[in-house]
Amino acid sequence: MAASRRRLTAVAAVVATAALTAGLTTGCDAVNKALDCVQTADAIADSVTSLQQAVENASNDPTQLDEALASIDKNLDKIGDKTDNADVNKAVDDLNKAVGNVRTAIKNGDNTPDVSPVTDAAGELTKVCTS
């Protein structure tokens, strides 16, 4: 988990540098959107980690699942409101769908749902935010 966090931090630094360089020719708004995307993708990655841990500990505290999913939803709302990039919007939609599927599984009594589609979709979001 620490390695994942370091990797995301390094990616964020690279993207920030690229965005700042691009900002010299494209304006501050583009830089702010790129940084918002990276920061939100990083927050979502943290929430996905929390979701994975919540699934592992579901028998101890099932409320952690809802809290982790709510955190992802909150961050998806932030990023969706701040971009008009089609790739980012698709990644947000895919992640929303994956989160919805986990919620449905939980409602149907699955206390340890498969969260790999959420992890995959979050990875894709990070990828499009840093490209």
Side-chain angles (χ1 to χ4, degrees), residues 26-131:
T26 61
C28 292
D29 193 42
V31 173
N32 287 337
K33 284 184 179 183
L35 290 174
D36 286 342
C37 187
V38 170
Q39 290 168 345
T40 305
D42 187 41
I44 289 170
D46 289 344
S47 297
V48 170
T49 300
S50 296
L51 177 62
Q52 290 168 325
Q53 292 171 345
V55 168
E56 291 172 10
N57 298 322
S59 61
N60 297 337
D61 186 1
T63 62
Q64 288 181 355
L65 288 169
D66 284 333
E67 291 170 7
L69 291 168
S71 177
I72 293 170
D73 285 339
K74 179 181 169 188
N75 286 311
L76 285 174
D77 288 344
K78 282 184 195 176
I79 199 169
D81 292 343
K82 292 183 179 181
T83 186
D84 55 2
N85 180 295
D87 293 333
V88 171
N89 284 329
K90 180 180 181 334
V92 167
D93 290 344
D94 291 347
L95 189 48
N96 269 325
K97 182 179 177 184
V99 167
N101 290 340
V102 170
R103 286 190 188 283
T104 299
I106 292 168
K107 285 180 185 175
N108 291 336
D110 186 354
N111 289 330
T112 56
D114 178 15
V115 296
S116 60
V118 175
T119 303
D120 294 345
E124 184 62 23
L125 177 61
T126 299
K127 182 177 148 188
V128 298
C129 282
T130 58
S131 61

